[in-house]
Amino acid sequence: MLMNTPSESPTDHSAARTDARLTELEIKVSYAEDTLDQLDQTIIRQQAQIELLLRELTLLRQQQGSEGSAPRNLRDDLPPHY
């Protein structure tokens, strides 16, 4: 139990504890905001990557469709040494 010094009243001690708690909460909020900003940037980057991959997939599907509808024989793609 903390003892109050003669010059410190219980109200002063309570105000000091409140200030300390507020400071601690402000620090935690600051860290939480930083983490949230980092997560937002990660989501933005991932969304851009997803959009790029979807465009590439669309192009690949279009290329595959333009090559004709006949199924390809995988043996045609083997290198000559097989």
Side-chain angles (χ1 to χ4, degrees), residues 32-43:
E33 287 176 342
D34 184 53
T35 300
L36 185 59
D37 288 341
Q38 290 177 10
L39 289 172
D40 284 342
Q41 292 303 313
T42 299
I43 290 170

Side-chain angles (χ1 to χ4, degrees), residues 16-53:
R17 283 189 57 205
T18 300
D19 285 345
R21 290 178 64 202
L22 283 174
T23 301
E24 184 177 330
L25 288 172
E26 288 172 344
I27 291 169
K28 287 181 180 183
V29 166
S30 176
Y31 280 117
E33 287 176 342
D34 184 53
T35 300
L36 185 59
D37 288 341
Q38 290 177 10
L39 289 172
D40 284 342
Q41 292 303 313
T42 299
I43 290 170
I44 290 168
R45 278 193 313 273
Q46 287 179 340
Q47 184 62 39
Q49 289 173 337
I50 288 169
E51 290 170 1
L52 175 66
L53 290 170

Side-chain angles (χ1 to χ4, degrees), residues 74-82:
L74 294 179
R75 291 193 180 268
D76 294 341
D77 293 337
L78 291 176
H81 63 277
Y82 276 98

